[in-house]
């Protein structure tokens, strides 16, 4: 039969046929795992470990799964490991095996390797680049950019080209925009040409 635990005559824990159950009564149901209560050893961490198939499939969730103070979810199947971790007040990271594939940063998100968008909707997938700062809504302002980087021969990440969206006219009902193409020439970014509502504009010259 079931075993039960009570606090102040209120049942808070009981065993069941498939495991155990924590009761919150009228409040929250909280399972507290506390490690390193004296704050003496950063290697002592609190986490939950799950296992099945004779240990062939495992998962861990908690603080310091791999010995640090991040909150992590770590899964292992067939010898391969994938994880997700959160560092309070800082980055969140998603891994494939041991490689970081997505990481949040102070100014956005960094994606490693390929980025694919798939959709079954009409017209296919849509990528929106939105500038949402009304304080700088003015004519001829750069509001969105796509930048292209590659290494130079000094192993430095270098911006070789970019595409910029400009707001030629922000007047409600008669807005005009343009797309400007840039490329690097002798180490300096150059405006090449613009696509506007009135036609093509050649600016400087080709690199």
């Amino acid at each position: 039969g079931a075993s039960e635990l009570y606090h102040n005559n209120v049942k808070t824990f009981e065993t069941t046929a498939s495991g155990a159950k924590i009761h919150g009564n009228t409040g929250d149901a909280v399972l507290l795992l506390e490690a390193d209560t004296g704050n003496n050893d950063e290697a002592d961490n609190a986490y939950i470990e799950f296992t099945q198939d004779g240990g062939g499939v495992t998962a861990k969730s908690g603080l310091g799964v791999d010995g640090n103070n991040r909150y992590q979810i770590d899964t292992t199947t067939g010898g391969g490991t994938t994880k997700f971790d959160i560092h309070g007040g800082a980055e969140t990271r998603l891994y494939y095996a041991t490689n970081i594939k997505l990481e949040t940063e102070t100014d956005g998100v960094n994606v490693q390797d390929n980025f694919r968008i798939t959709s079954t909707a009409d017209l296919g997938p849509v990528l929106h680049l939105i500038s949402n700062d009304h304080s700088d809504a003015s004519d001829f302002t750069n509001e969105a950019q796509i930048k292209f980087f590659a290494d130079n021969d000094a192993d430095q990440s270098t911006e070789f080209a970019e595409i910029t969206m400009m707001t030629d006219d922000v007047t409600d009902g008669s807005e005009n925009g343009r797309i400007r193409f840039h490329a690097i020439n002798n180490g300096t970014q150059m405006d090449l040409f613009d696509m506007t509502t009135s036609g093509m504009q050649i600016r400087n010259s080709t690199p």
Side-chain angles (χ1 to χ4, degrees):
S3 296
E4 300 175 344
L5 293 177
Y6 289 76
H7 179 77
N8 290 338
N9 293 321
V10 176
K11 183 167 64 176
T12 56
F13 178 90
E14 68 173 321
T15 59
T16 67
S18 58
K21 183 177 181 180
I22 297 175
H23 295 266
N25 196 20
T26 58
D28 296 333
V30 179
L31 173 63
L32 175 62
L33 303 179
E34 185 174 6
D36 191 20
T37 57
N39 196 23
N40 298 316
D41 190 345
E42 292 300 311
D44 295 336
N45 299 287
Y47 60 87
I48 300 173
E49 183 171 355
F50 308 88
T51 182
Q52 69 179 42
D53 298 340
V57 178
T58 63
K60 299 177 182 178
S61 175
L63 299 173
V65 169
D66 63 1
N68 59 47
N69 285 325
R70 300 173 183 272
Y71 175 78
Q72 295 176 285
I73 300 174
D74 191 333
T75 63
T76 300
T77 304
T81 299
T82 300
K83 65 180 180 179
F84 166 83
D85 66 34
I86 302 172
H87 190 190
E91 70 278 1
T92 296
R93 300 184 298 196
L94 179 64
Y95 296 73
Y96 182 84
T98 58
N99 301 311
I100 298 174
K101 293 300 181 180
L102 185 146
E103 182 174 13
T104 60
E105 300 177 340
T106 56
D107 60 350
V109 176
N110 184 43
V111 178
Q112 296 289 338
D113 299 321
N114 296 326
F115 181 72
R116 300 180 182 87
I117 303 175
T118 303
S119 173
T120 58
D122 292 343
L123 304 180
V126 178
L127 176 64
H128 294 268
L129 303 180
I130 301 173
S131 177
N132 200 25
D133 181 9
H134 184 70
S135 65
D136 67 353
S138 60
D139 295 349
F140 299 104
T141 301
N142 297 338
E143 290 291 355
Q145 292 182 322
I146 301 174
K147 299 189 176 188
F148 302 88
F149 287 81
D151 285 351
N152 61 17
D153 63 1
D155 197 23
Q156 298 168 327
S157 181
T158 303
E159 181 186 332
F160 279 85
E162 70 177 53
I163 303 171
T164 301
M165 185 278 288
M166 299 180 64
T167 54
D168 281 12
D169 187 344
V170 297
T171 304
D172 184 22
S174 60
E175 299 90 346
N176 291 319
R178 75 172 58 204
I179 298 293
R180 175 168 291 174
F181 292 80
H182 319 252
I184 198 169
N185 182 31
N186 290 325
T188 302
Q189 281 287 350
M190 177 191 302
D191 298 343
L192 298 179
F193 65 91
D194 292 358
M195 297 173 62
T196 75
T197 54
S198 60
M200 298 286 293
Q201 297 180 0
I202 304 301
R203 306 196 63 80
N204 290 336
S205 60
T206 57

